[in-house]
Amino acid sequence: MLTELRITDFAIIDQLELTPGEGLLVFTGETGAGKSIIMDALDMLLGGKTDQSDIRQEAELARVEATFHLSPPEQEPVNEILKREEALDDPDCVTLSPQVGREGRRTAR
């Protein structure tokens, strides 16, 4: 379950932090309010295509960071991979953080 979402310098978003609760999460708002940009940031988080046009005009890189709480069925296989990669910090959570820079280089942590 998504427990935290942070978006920095993505499109027109300077900085956004969301802490969704349990259950259904719905984004509503006026046209141009940024709903689609949040969805584009989630797409970047999940490996979707990104490039320099996703970086806010005044910034050098765009970053999306999300923390997911792992329920017991997911913990074992995910923690196995993270242990193998020496990246296990918290067995109950995993944090993903892709970023794209002005030179087009994309990294993910």
Side-chain angles (χ1 to χ4, degrees):
M1 180 176 88
L2 178 65
T3 58
E4 294 178 56
L5 177 64
R6 288 175 290 289
I7 303 170
T8 306
D9 294 326
F10 188 89
I12 61 168
I13 296 174
D14 176 20
Q15 192 168 14
L16 173 70
E17 292 187 27
L18 294 172
T19 308
E22 290 190 32
L24 177 67
L25 176 64
V26 177
F27 291 107
T28 64
E30 300 286 329
T31 300
K35 302 175 299 292
S36 294
I37 293 171
I38 294 171
M39 294 298 112
D40 291 343
L42 287 171
D43 186 47
M44 176 179 164
L45 176 75
L46 299 173
K49 188 175 181 178
T50 58
D51 59 33
Q52 299 93 324
S53 67
D54 293 319
I55 302 170
R56 195 168 66 88
Q57 191 170 15
E58 301 84 14
E60 289 301 312
L61 61 89
R63 176 182 298 134
V64 179
E65 185 175 297
T67 300
F68 296 89
H69 175 76
L70 301 172
S71 60
E74 294 100 21
Q75 281 181 350
E76 188 177 332
V78 171
N79 288 337
E80 219 173 276
I81 294 167
L82 293 174
K83 281 180 194 174
R84 184 175 61 234
E85 299 298 321
E86 299 178 2
L88 181 63
D89 292 329
D90 182 346
D92 296 327
C93 296
V94 65
T95 300
L96 306 176
S97 182
Q99 63 185 35
V100 62
R102 281 268 172 232
E103 72 286 345
R105 183 166 181 231
R106 183 185 162 126
T107 58
R109 302 178 204 289

XYZ file of all heavy atoms in Angstrom:
838
model
N 0.840 -1.172 0.000
C 0.000 0.000 0.000
C 0.889 1.241 0.000
O 1.870 1.326 0.733
C -0.886 -0.002 1.243
C -1.795 1.194 1.299
S -2.922 1.188 2.685
C -1.921 1.982 3.901
N 0.548 2.204 -0.837
C 1.269 3.470 -0.903
C 1.028 4.251 0.387
O -0.115 4.532 0.738
C 0.791 4.283 -2.115
C 1.416 5.653 -2.311
C 2.903 5.533 -2.601
C 0.716 6.383 -3.439
N 2.116 4.589 1.101
C 1.973 5.320 2.358
C 2.479 6.763 2.270
O 2.046 7.610 3.041
C 2.694 4.602 3.508
O 4.075 4.454 3.176
C 2.069 3.252 3.783
N 3.423 7.026 1.340
C 3.940 8.384 1.157
C 4.298 8.590 -0.302
O 4.835 7.690 -0.942
C 5.210 8.610 1.981
C 5.027 8.581 3.469
C 6.350 8.764 4.193
O 7.027 9.779 3.943
O 6.701 7.880 4.974
N 4.025 9.781 -0.815
C 4.404 10.150 -2.172
C 4.979 11.556 -2.129
O 4.356 12.470 -1.595
C 3.186 10.109 -3.107
C 3.429 10.549 -4.544
C 4.398 9.606 -5.252
C 2.106 10.631 -5.296
N 6.173 11.704 -2.678
C 6.821 13.011 -2.763
C 7.217 13.262 -4.221
O 7.870 12.414 -4.829
C 8.051 13.064 -1.860
C 7.706 13.127 -0.382
C 8.921 13.046 0.515
N 9.571 11.746 0.526
C 9.077 10.637 1.090
N 7.901 10.667 1.665
N 9.741 9.505 1.056
N 6.819 14.407 -4.737
C 7.134 14.795 -6.103
C 7.893 16.110 -6.031
O 7.429 17.062 -5.396
C 5.850 14.954 -6.950
C 5.041 13.658 -6.941
C 6.193 15.390 -8.370
C 3.649 13.784 -7.545
N 9.053 16.166 -6.671
C 9.887 17.364 -6.627
C 10.293 17.770 -8.040
O 10.827 16.942 -8.795
C 11.159 17.107 -5.785
O 10.776 16.613 -4.501
C 11.975 18.369 -5.623
N 10.016 19.016 -8.392
C 10.427 19.611 -9.667
C 9.976 18.811 -10.885
O 10.703 18.666 -11.865
C 11.953 19.825 -9.697
C 12.390 20.859 -8.689
O 11.630 21.805 -8.459
O 13.491 20.721 -8.117
N 8.764 18.302 -10.829
C 8.190 17.543 -11.934
C 7.137 18.396 -12.624
O 6.159 18.823 -11.992
C 7.568 16.241 -11.405
C 7.119 15.301 -12.483
C 7.995 14.361 -12.998
C 5.841 15.367 -12.991
C 7.592 13.484 -14.000
C 5.427 14.496 -13.996
C 6.307 13.562 -14.498
N 7.331 18.667 -13.918
C 6.423 19.510 -14.714
C 6.237 20.860 -14.005
O 7.209 21.580 -13.828
C 5.108 18.802 -14.973
N 5.023 21.193 -13.583
C 4.802 22.480 -12.902
C 4.833 22.347 -11.383
O 4.668 23.331 -10.668
C 3.464 23.123 -13.335
C 2.288 22.222 -12.966
C 3.474 23.462 -14.815
C 0.929 22.883 -13.095
N 5.066 21.126 -10.882
C 5.073 20.904 -9.427
C 6.453 21.223 -8.864
O 7.440 20.600 -9.240
C 4.687 19.452 -9.082
C 3.262 19.162 -9.521
C 4.869 19.186 -7.589
C 2.842 17.713 -9.354
N 6.505 22.195 -7.968
C 7.740 22.517 -7.256
C 8.011 21.420 -6.238
O 9.038 20.757 -6.278
C 7.597 23.878 -6.579
C 8.797 24.270 -5.736
O 9.890 23.722 -5.939
O 8.622 25.136 -4.857
N 7.080 21.232 -5.327
C 7.206 20.194 -4.312
C 5.807 19.814 -3.834
O 4.980 20.672 -3.544
C 8.042 20.687 -3.136
C 8.441 19.590 -2.207
C 9.510 20.063 -1.223
O 9.760 21.248 -1.062
N 10.137 19.122 -0.568
N 5.564 18.492 -3.762
C 4.272 17.986 -3.329
C 4.507 16.768 -2.456
O 5.307 15.898 -2.807
C 3.414 17.591 -4.539
C 2.091 16.889 -4.242
C 1.102 17.869 -3.612
C 1.512 16.303 -5.507
N 3.853 16.731 -1.314
C 3.928 15.573 -0.430
C 2.516 15.113 -0.122
O 1.681 15.909 0.289
C 4.654 15.917 0.870
C 6.124 16.206 0.662
C 6.884 16.387 1.966
O 6.454 15.824 3.001
O 7.893 17.094 1.940
N 2.255 13.834 -0.361
C 0.956 13.238 -0.077
C 1.152 12.066 0.873
O 2.093 11.283 0.713
C 0.294 12.712 -1.349
C -0.118 13.724 -2.400
C -0.575 13.000 -3.662
C -1.240 14.588 -1.876
N 0.265 11.954 1.829
C 0.247 10.806 2.734
C -1.168 10.238 2.687
O -2.013 10.596 3.506
C 0.625 11.231 4.172
O 1.852 11.948 4.129
C 0.794 10.018 5.067
N -1.417 9.361 1.706
C -2.775 8.827 1.581
C -3.109 7.879 2.722
O -2.236 7.164 3.229
C -2.746 8.082 0.249
C -1.320 7.770 0.007
C -0.520 8.838 0.697
N -4.355 7.879 3.125
C -4.807 6.932 4.140
C -5.203 5.622 3.481
O -5.051 5.439 2.273
N -5.717 4.727 4.269
C -6.178 3.459 3.723
C -7.458 3.673 2.926
O -8.206 4.613 3.165
C -6.430 2.466 4.855
C -5.154 1.997 5.515
C -5.404 0.839 6.469
O -6.312 0.040 6.222
O -4.660 0.762 7.451
N -7.691 2.795 1.968
C -8.920 2.854 1.195
C -8.740 3.550 -0.133
O -7.631 3.757 -0.613
N -9.830 3.954 -0.711
C -9.865 4.561 -2.034
C -9.335 5.988 -1.995
O -9.691 6.779 -1.116
C -11.311 4.569 -2.546
C -11.556 5.224 -3.902
C -10.886 4.426 -5.011
C -13.055 5.331 -4.151
N -8.486 6.316 -2.952
C -7.955 7.669 -3.087
C -8.423 8.218 -4.428
O -8.210 7.588 -5.466
C -6.423 7.654 -3.039
C -5.709 8.981 -3.269
C -6.057 9.962 -2.166
C -4.218 8.764 -3.351
N -9.074 9.375 -4.411
C -9.614 9.987 -5.622
C -9.054 11.398 -5.742
O -9.047 12.153 -4.768
C -11.159 10.050 -5.564
C -11.717 10.745 -6.788
C -11.749 8.664 -5.419
N -8.573 11.752 -6.939
C -8.130 13.112 -7.216
C -9.217 13.812 -8.010
O -9.636 13.333 -9.062
C -6.834 13.112 -8.047
C -5.637 12.615 -7.300
C -5.114 11.368 -7.581
C -5.043 13.386 -6.326
C -4.010 10.892 -6.900
C -3.937 12.926 -5.637
C -3.418 11.676 -5.925
N -9.676 14.942 -7.513
C -10.651 15.746 -8.233
C -10.140 17.184 -8.275
O -9.288 17.574 -7.474
C -12.035 15.732 -7.545
O -11.926 16.342 -6.255
C -12.564 14.314 -7.402
N -10.647 17.952 -9.204
C -10.253 19.358 -9.267
C -10.545 19.953 -10.623
O -10.919 19.263 -11.569
N -10.340 21.252 -10.702
C -10.555 22.008 -11.929
C -9.580 21.550 -13.011
O -8.525 20.996 -12.718
C -10.315 23.508 -11.660
C -11.222 24.115 -10.621
C -12.632 24.326 -11.145
O -12.801 24.575 -12.353
O -13.566 24.236 -10.337
N -9.920 21.826 -14.243
C -9.012 21.599 -15.360
C -7.745 22.422 -15.121
O -7.818 23.591 -14.753
C -9.679 22.033 -16.685
O -10.864 21.264 -16.850
C -8.747 21.833 -17.867
N -6.610 21.798 -15.279
C -5.342 22.491 -15.081
C -4.850 22.482 -13.651
O -3.833 23.103 -13.334
N -5.539 21.777 -12.758
C -5.144 21.759 -11.346
C -3.939 20.861 -11.074
O -3.308 20.984 -10.035
C -6.321 21.320 -10.473
N -3.627 19.931 -11.993
C -2.458 19.091 -11.815
C -2.736 17.616 -11.595
O -1.817 16.847 -11.307
N -3.975 17.198 -11.755
C -4.312 15.774 -11.547
C -3.523 14.876 -12.484
O -2.944 13.877 -12.065
C -5.815 15.547 -11.752
C -6.718 16.370 -10.842
C -8.179 16.183 -11.178
C -8.576 16.604 -12.570
N -8.517 18.034 -12.865
N -3.473 15.215 -13.754
C -2.753 14.400 -14.736
C -1.251 14.408 -14.476
O -0.567 13.415 -14.726
C -3.027 14.890 -16.158
O -4.384 14.685 -16.474
N -0.738 15.507 -13.977
C 0.697 15.581 -13.672
C 1.040 14.615 -12.546
O 2.078 13.945 -12.580
C 1.115 17.027 -13.337
C 0.978 17.888 -14.589
C 2.539 17.082 -12.808
C 1.141 19.357 -14.356
N 0.187 14.507 -11.555
C 0.412 13.540 -10.480
C 0.408 12.123 -11.057
O 1.260 11.293 -10.712
C -0.627 13.697 -9.358
C -0.436 15.043 -8.659
C -0.516 12.544 -8.354
C -1.536 15.408 -7.680
N -0.508 11.843 -11.967
C -0.555 10.518 -12.601
C 0.695 10.274 -13.446
O 1.243 9.170 -13.465
C -1.809 10.368 -13.468
C -3.108 10.382 -12.688
S -3.237 9.024 -11.533
C -3.138 9.896 -9.982
N 1.190 11.312 -14.140
C 2.426 11.179 -14.916
C 3.615 10.890 -14.000
O 4.504 10.115 -14.341
C 2.694 12.443 -15.732
C 1.701 12.633 -16.873
O 1.014 11.660 -17.251
O 1.615 13.777 -17.381
N 3.636 11.532 -12.839
C 4.707 11.271 -11.869
C 4.641 9.832 -11.371
O 5.672 9.167 -11.221
C 4.616 12.255 -10.706
N 3.433 9.328 -11.124
C 3.283 7.920 -10.728
C 3.728 6.994 -11.848
O 4.337 5.944 -11.591
C 1.833 7.626 -10.335
C 1.388 8.205 -8.999
C -0.122 8.045 -8.828
C 2.130 7.558 -7.847
N 3.475 7.373 -13.089
C 3.938 6.579 -14.230
C 5.471 6.534 -14.245
O 6.069 5.476 -14.478
C 3.393 7.167 -15.529
C 3.701 6.317 -16.733
O 3.484 5.080 -16.664
O 4.152 6.859 -17.756
N 6.123 7.666 -13.988
C 7.582 7.701 -13.897
C 8.069 6.767 -12.795
O 9.020 6.018 -12.964
C 8.065 9.121 -13.632
C 9.562 9.252 -13.431
S 9.985 10.993 -13.144
C 11.624 10.842 -12.473
N 7.383 6.803 -11.672
C 7.734 5.954 -10.533
C 7.705 4.475 -10.913
O 8.545 3.689 -10.486
C 6.762 6.220 -9.380
C 6.927 5.348 -8.153
C 8.139 5.794 -7.357
C 5.685 5.400 -7.302
N 6.744 4.112 -11.740
C 6.565 2.704 -12.106
C 7.315 2.316 -13.382
O 7.080 1.262 -13.946
C 5.073 2.404 -12.247
C 4.276 2.615 -10.955
C 2.788 2.453 -11.212
C 4.748 1.667 -9.867
N 8.233 3.189 -13.834
C 9.094 2.842 -14.960
C 8.672 3.392 -16.295
O 9.260 3.053 -17.317
N 7.663 4.249 -16.314
C 7.211 4.839 -17.569
C 8.254 5.767 -18.169
O 9.206 6.194 -17.510
N 8.064 6.089 -19.429
C 9.002 6.923 -20.160
C 9.004 8.358 -19.624
O 7.945 8.951 -19.411
C 8.633 6.924 -21.638
C 9.638 7.596 -22.512
C 9.263 7.443 -23.965
C 10.316 8.120 -24.824
N 10.024 7.970 -26.238
N 10.185 8.890 -19.420
C 10.342 10.282 -18.989
C 11.500 10.903 -19.752
O 12.364 10.204 -20.259
C 10.640 10.398 -17.480
O 11.817 9.656 -17.188
C 9.500 9.900 -16.635
N 11.504 12.218 -19.828
C 12.620 12.915 -20.452
C 12.746 14.307 -19.838
O 12.051 14.637 -18.885
C 12.472 12.965 -21.974
C 11.189 13.654 -22.413
O 10.731 14.593 -21.737
O 10.642 13.251 -23.455
N 13.607 15.106 -20.424
C 13.881 16.433 -19.871
C 12.646 17.322 -19.830
O 12.573 18.239 -19.015
C 14.963 17.152 -20.697
C 16.279 16.454 -20.725
C 16.413 15.529 -21.935
O 15.456 14.907 -22.370
N 17.622 15.422 -22.461
N 11.662 17.065 -20.667
C 10.459 17.906 -20.679
C 9.631 17.726 -19.400
O 8.762 18.539 -19.116
C 9.600 17.607 -21.909
O 9.068 16.297 -21.837
N 9.909 16.674 -18.624
C 9.199 16.451 -17.361
C 9.793 17.255 -16.207
O 9.236 17.275 -15.119
C 9.212 14.961 -16.992
C 8.400 14.133 -17.959
O 7.309 14.590 -18.361
O 8.837 13.027 -18.311
N 10.932 17.905 -16.433
C 11.608 18.660 -15.373
C 11.043 20.076 -15.326
O 10.906 20.740 -16.363
C 13.127 18.708 -15.627
C 13.681 17.287 -15.715
C 13.832 19.506 -14.534
C 15.109 17.222 -16.195
N 10.730 20.523 -14.114
C 10.229 21.901 -13.936
C 11.256 22.872 -14.506
O 12.460 22.662 -14.405
C 9.991 22.170 -12.445
C 9.157 23.409 -12.179
C 8.720 23.450 -10.722
N 9.830 23.616 -9.828
C 10.331 24.791 -9.446
N 9.799 25.915 -9.881
N 11.347 24.860 -8.620
N 10.790 23.934 -15.106
C 11.640 24.841 -15.878
C 12.880 25.329 -15.118
O 13.957 25.387 -15.677
C 10.821 26.033 -16.355
C 11.546 26.863 -17.374
C 10.641 27.889 -18.017
O 9.558 28.185 -17.537
N 11.088 28.439 -19.115
N 12.769 25.679 -13.860
C 13.883 26.256 -13.109
C 14.788 25.199 -12.473
O 15.767 25.540 -11.816
C 13.361 27.166 -11.985
C 12.507 28.310 -12.458
C 11.036 27.930 -12.665
O 10.609 26.855 -12.195
O 10.323 28.695 -13.318
N 14.494 23.922 -12.637
C 15.200 22.860 -11.914
C 16.177 22.103 -12.811
O 16.096 22.172 -14.035
C 14.195 21.889 -11.314
N 17.071 21.367 -12.164
C 18.050 20.545 -12.880
C 17.615 19.093 -12.991
O 18.105 18.371 -13.855
C 19.418 20.628 -12.196
C 20.096 21.964 -12.366
C 20.316 22.315 -13.830
O 20.816 21.464 -14.591
O 19.955 23.450 -14.225
N 16.741 18.649 -12.090
C 16.248 17.279 -12.169
C 14.875 17.172 -11.541
O 14.490 17.988 -10.713
C 17.224 16.282 -11.524
C 17.570 16.406 -10.041
C 16.597 15.610 -9.194
C 18.965 15.857 -9.824
N 14.137 16.160 -11.981
C 12.811 15.869 -11.427
C 12.916 14.556 -10.667
O 13.575 13.611 -11.118
C 11.778 15.754 -12.538
N 12.266 14.490 -9.508
C 12.330 13.282 -8.672
C 10.939 12.947 -8.159
O 10.175 13.826 -7.791
C 13.267 13.510 -7.500
C 13.299 12.323 -6.531
C 14.206 12.560 -5.332
N 15.567 12.735 -5.780
C 16.378 13.698 -5.357
N 15.961 14.581 -4.483
N 17.605 13.795 -5.814
N 10.666 11.652 -8.130
C 9.444 11.128 -7.515
C 9.901 10.090 -6.505
O 10.763 9.264 -6.805
C 8.507 10.473 -8.554
C 7.269 9.922 -7.878
C 8.134 11.462 -9.640
N 9.366 10.137 -5.320
C 9.728 9.164 -4.284
C 8.451 8.647 -3.632
O 7.588 9.431 -3.266
C 10.628 9.811 -3.238
C 11.131 8.836 -2.204
C 12.110 9.487 -1.248
O 13.182 9.926 -1.693
O 11.777 9.565 -0.061
N 8.358 7.336 -3.541
C 7.167 6.734 -2.940
C 7.579 5.627 -1.984
O 8.483 4.847 -2.273
C 6.248 6.174 -4.011
N 6.904 5.573 -0.854
C 7.131 4.510 0.122
C 5.879 3.644 0.158
O 4.764 4.150 0.238
C 7.417 5.097 1.526
O 8.579 5.923 1.432
C 7.664 4.002 2.542
N 6.108 2.348 0.088
C 5.036 1.364 0.121
C 5.179 0.487 1.346
O 6.275 0.003 1.639
C 5.079 0.460 -1.124
C 4.837 1.184 -2.411
C 5.893 1.748 -3.115
C 3.560 1.305 -2.914
C 5.674 2.411 -4.304
C 3.331 1.965 -4.108
C 4.388 2.524 -4.810
N 4.085 0.289 2.055
C 4.065 -0.670 3.165
C 3.840 -2.047 2.563
O 2.961 -2.228 1.720
C 2.957 -0.344 4.159
C 2.833 -1.360 5.242
N 3.718 -1.423 6.287
C 1.970 -2.379 5.411
C 3.389 -2.435 7.066
N 2.330 -3.030 6.553
N 4.656 -3.006 2.974
C 4.545 -4.367 2.456
C 3.723 -5.217 3.408
O 4.059 -5.340 4.583
C 5.937 -4.987 2.295
C 6.898 -4.248 1.367
C 8.290 -4.860 1.467
C 6.390 -4.276 -0.060
N 2.652 -5.802 2.902
C 1.877 -6.722 3.726
C 2.601 -8.077 3.726
O 3.450 -8.332 2.871
C 0.449 -6.842 3.205
O 0.447 -7.314 1.885
N 2.293 -8.955 4.681
C 3.025 -10.224 4.810
C 3.200 -11.025 3.520
O 4.301 -11.514 3.276
C 2.225 -10.986 5.867
C 1.680 -9.886 6.742
C 1.335 -8.777 5.778
N 2.212 -11.150 2.643
C 2.459 -11.937 1.429
C 3.556 -11.363 0.526
O 4.257 -12.107 -0.145
C 1.116 -11.938 0.695
C 0.098 -11.565 1.705
C 0.817 -10.731 2.730
N 3.711 -10.027 0.508
C 4.738 -9.399 -0.337
C 6.094 -9.307 0.344
O 7.114 -9.196 -0.327
C 4.320 -7.977 -0.748
C 3.133 -7.907 -1.651
C 1.869 -7.560 -0.888
O 1.950 -7.004 0.210
O 0.780 -7.858 -1.404
N 6.125 -9.309 1.661
C 7.375 -9.070 2.385
C 8.484 -10.045 2.008
O 9.596 -9.628 1.702
C 7.155 -9.127 3.894
C 6.560 -7.881 4.455
C 6.367 -7.959 5.962
O 6.507 -9.009 6.566
N 6.024 -6.835 6.551
N 8.198 -11.325 2.048
C 9.252 -12.307 1.831
C 9.919 -12.191 0.461
O 11.140 -12.062 0.393
C 8.722 -13.727 2.049
C 9.832 -14.765 2.015
C 9.314 -16.156 2.307
O 8.295 -16.298 3.015
O 9.940 -17.102 1.818
N 9.160 -12.199 -0.657
C 9.848 -12.111 -1.952
C 10.556 -10.770 -2.180
O 11.661 -10.737 -2.735
C 8.745 -12.339 -2.984
C 7.461 -12.144 -2.265
C 7.722 -12.408 -0.820
N 9.956 -9.681 -1.734
C 10.591 -8.370 -1.913
C 11.844 -8.273 -1.049
O 12.905 -7.842 -1.510
C 9.599 -7.223 -1.593
C 10.319 -5.879 -1.559
C 8.465 -7.200 -2.606
N 11.751 -8.686 0.207
C 12.909 -8.618 1.102
C 14.048 -9.520 0.628
O 15.217 -9.186 0.805
C 12.508 -8.960 2.533
C 11.693 -7.851 3.169
O 11.762 -6.707 2.752
N 10.922 -8.188 4.172
N 13.716 -10.635 0.002
C 14.740 -11.517 -0.546
C 15.574 -10.785 -1.605
O 16.797 -10.850 -1.598
C 14.055 -12.731 -1.179
C 14.764 -14.037 -0.949
C 13.911 -15.186 -1.466
O 13.032 -15.648 -0.727
O 14.159 -15.604 -2.620
N 14.884 -10.092 -2.491
C 15.571 -9.325 -3.540
C 16.394 -8.202 -2.920
O 17.555 -7.994 -3.277
C 14.552 -8.756 -4.555
C 13.889 -9.893 -5.316
C 15.216 -7.771 -5.502
C 12.659 -9.476 -6.100
N 15.812 -7.463 -1.976
C 16.522 -6.343 -1.359
C 17.734 -6.815 -0.564
O 18.782 -6.156 -0.573
C 15.574 -5.542 -0.468
C 14.458 -4.796 -1.212
C 13.489 -4.167 -0.226
C 15.023 -3.767 -2.168
N 17.644 -7.948 0.108
C 18.803 -8.502 0.826
C 19.913 -8.847 -0.153
O 21.081 -8.536 0.086
C 18.399 -9.752 1.609
C 17.702 -9.484 2.901
C 17.355 -10.800 3.586
C 16.363 -10.586 4.697
N 15.892 -11.847 5.277
N 19.544 -9.490 -1.250
C 20.533 -9.878 -2.258
C 21.259 -8.655 -2.810
O 22.445 -8.689 -3.089
C 19.836 -10.660 -3.380
C 20.785 -11.200 -4.418
C 20.107 -12.077 -5.464
N 19.094 -11.322 -6.203
C 17.822 -11.701 -6.338
N 17.379 -12.813 -5.798
N 16.983 -10.964 -7.029
N 20.553 -7.546 -2.953
C 21.131 -6.309 -3.483
C 21.725 -5.426 -2.384
O 22.164 -4.314 -2.662
C 20.070 -5.521 -4.256
C 19.501 -6.251 -5.446
C 20.547 -6.567 -6.493
O 21.434 -5.717 -6.729
O 20.490 -7.659 -7.079
N 21.718 -5.925 -1.159
C 22.214 -5.176 0.005
C 21.517 -3.827 0.137
O 22.137 -2.798 0.404
C 23.732 -5.021 -0.059
C 24.466 -6.348 -0.041
C 25.970 -6.219 -0.148
O 26.491 -5.080 -0.197
O 26.626 -7.271 -0.164
N 20.196 -3.839 -0.037
C 19.406 -2.611 0.000
C 18.231 -2.707 0.969
O 17.312 -1.899 0.892
C 18.903 -2.291 -1.404
N 18.257 -3.663 1.867
C 17.148 -3.828 2.806
C 17.360 -2.931 4.015
O 18.299 -3.103 4.779
C 17.024 -5.290 3.254
C 15.889 -5.596 4.223
C 14.543 -5.311 3.562
C 15.949 -7.045 4.685
N 16.484 -1.925 4.156
C 16.548 -1.016 5.303
C 15.459 -1.344 6.317
O 15.694 -1.376 7.505
C 16.382 0.444 4.857
C 17.560 0.926 4.036
O 18.681 0.450 4.268
O 17.344 1.763 3.147
N 14.245 -1.551 5.817
C 13.088 -1.794 6.668
C 12.294 -2.944 6.052
O 11.791 -2.806 4.940
C 12.230 -0.532 6.749
C 11.016 -0.674 7.647
O 10.654 -1.808 8.018
O 10.409 0.357 7.964
N 12.175 -4.074 6.738
C 11.478 -5.224 6.146
C 9.980 -4.994 5.913
O 9.350 -5.734 5.170
C 11.712 -6.348 7.149
C 12.072 -5.681 8.416
C 12.697 -4.366 8.063
N 9.409 -3.944 6.507
C 7.984 -3.666 6.356
C 7.671 -2.683 5.234
O 6.519 -2.506 4.868
C 7.406 -3.111 7.657
C 7.476 -4.115 8.794
O 7.357 -5.321 8.521
O 7.652 -3.683 9.950
N 8.706 -1.996 4.707
C 8.493 -0.949 3.708
C 9.544 -1.006 2.622
O 10.653 -1.492 2.838
C 8.557 0.434 4.348
S 7.272 0.749 5.559
N 9.196 -0.476 1.466
C 10.157 -0.292 0.382
C 9.920 1.101 -0.200
O 8.782 1.552 -0.322
C 10.053 -1.391 -0.700
C 8.724 -1.348 -1.412
C 11.195 -1.310 -1.681
N 11.020 1.795 -0.523
C 10.936 3.133 -1.100
C 11.544 3.100 -2.499
O 12.649 2.592 -2.680
C 11.675 4.165 -0.230
O 11.062 4.178 1.065
C 11.603 5.556 -0.829
N 10.818 3.639 -3.458
C 11.278 3.756 -4.838
C 11.498 5.223 -5.138
O 10.688 6.065 -4.730
C 10.248 3.184 -5.808
C 9.785 1.760 -5.571
C 8.682 1.395 -6.559
C 10.938 0.793 -5.675
N 12.584 5.543 -5.861
C 12.867 6.944 -6.134
C 13.576 7.118 -7.478
O 14.798 7.184 -7.535
C 13.720 7.537 -5.004
O 13.955 8.897 -5.248
N 12.809 7.222 -8.567
C 13.433 7.542 -9.848
C 13.616 9.053 -10.003
O 12.893 9.837 -9.397
C 12.422 7.022 -10.866
C 11.119 7.157 -10.172
C 11.398 6.914 -8.711
N 14.608 9.423 -10.807
C 14.798 10.830 -11.131
C 15.338 10.943 -12.550
O 15.960 10.013 -13.060
C 15.717 11.528 -10.135
C 17.130 11.003 -10.091
C 17.936 11.660 -8.993
O 17.423 11.970 -7.925
N 19.218 11.854 -9.235
N 15.076 12.077 -13.173
C 15.587 12.347 -14.506
C 16.229 13.727 -14.479
O 15.690 14.659 -13.875
C 14.477 12.253 -15.592
C 13.381 13.263 -15.370
C 15.067 12.368 -16.985
N 17.421 13.828 -15.083
C 18.153 15.088 -15.090
C 18.082 15.787 -16.434
O 17.660 15.223 -17.431
N 18.528 17.051 -16.460
C 18.498 17.855 -17.678
C 19.264 17.205 -18.825
O 18.918 17.367 -19.975
C 19.121 19.227 -17.418
C 18.220 20.156 -16.732
C 17.440 21.003 -17.729
N 16.444 21.737 -16.952
C 15.174 21.744 -17.230
N 14.713 21.103 -18.261
N 14.334 22.407 -16.484
N 20.343 16.491 -18.519
C 21.132 15.849 -19.577
C 20.459 14.588 -20.095
O 20.967 13.925 -20.990
C 22.546 15.534 -19.054
C 22.654 14.400 -18.043
C 22.159 14.741 -16.645
O 21.962 15.925 -16.307
O 21.964 13.787 -15.867
N 19.282 14.235 -19.523
C 18.526 13.085 -19.989
C 18.822 11.798 -19.233
O 18.181 10.782 -19.468
N 19.764 11.859 -18.325
C 20.120 10.670 -17.558
C 19.030 10.364 -16.538
O 18.594 11.217 -15.795
C 21.453 10.882 -16.838
C 21.895 9.654 -16.104
C 23.347 9.782 -15.689
N 23.729 8.549 -15.010
C 24.311 8.498 -13.845
N 24.634 9.623 -13.236
N 24.627 7.359 -13.297
N 18.621 9.109 -16.525
C 17.601 8.662 -15.590
C 18.230 7.674 -14.618
O 18.962 6.777 -15.019
C 16.457 7.995 -16.345
C 15.348 7.576 -15.442
C 14.291 6.815 -16.188
N 13.500 6.100 -15.231
C 12.186 6.173 -15.133
N 11.530 6.892 -15.978
N 11.550 5.504 -14.215
N 17.937 7.855 -13.325
C 18.413 6.909 -12.321
C 17.226 6.504 -11.460
O 16.234 7.211 -11.373
C 19.503 7.526 -11.410
O 18.981 8.689 -10.778
C 20.742 7.907 -12.210
N 17.364 5.342 -10.847
C 16.311 4.856 -9.950
C 16.979 4.231 -8.734
O 17.972 3.519 -8.863
C 15.425 3.846 -10.658
N 16.425 4.502 -7.592
C 16.945 3.926 -6.342
C 15.827 3.188 -5.648
O 14.692 3.535 -5.748
C 17.458 5.032 -5.424
C 18.531 5.878 -6.052
C 18.951 6.985 -5.092
N 19.533 8.121 -5.720
C 20.734 8.142 -6.293
N 21.455 7.087 -6.340
N 21.199 9.251 -6.812
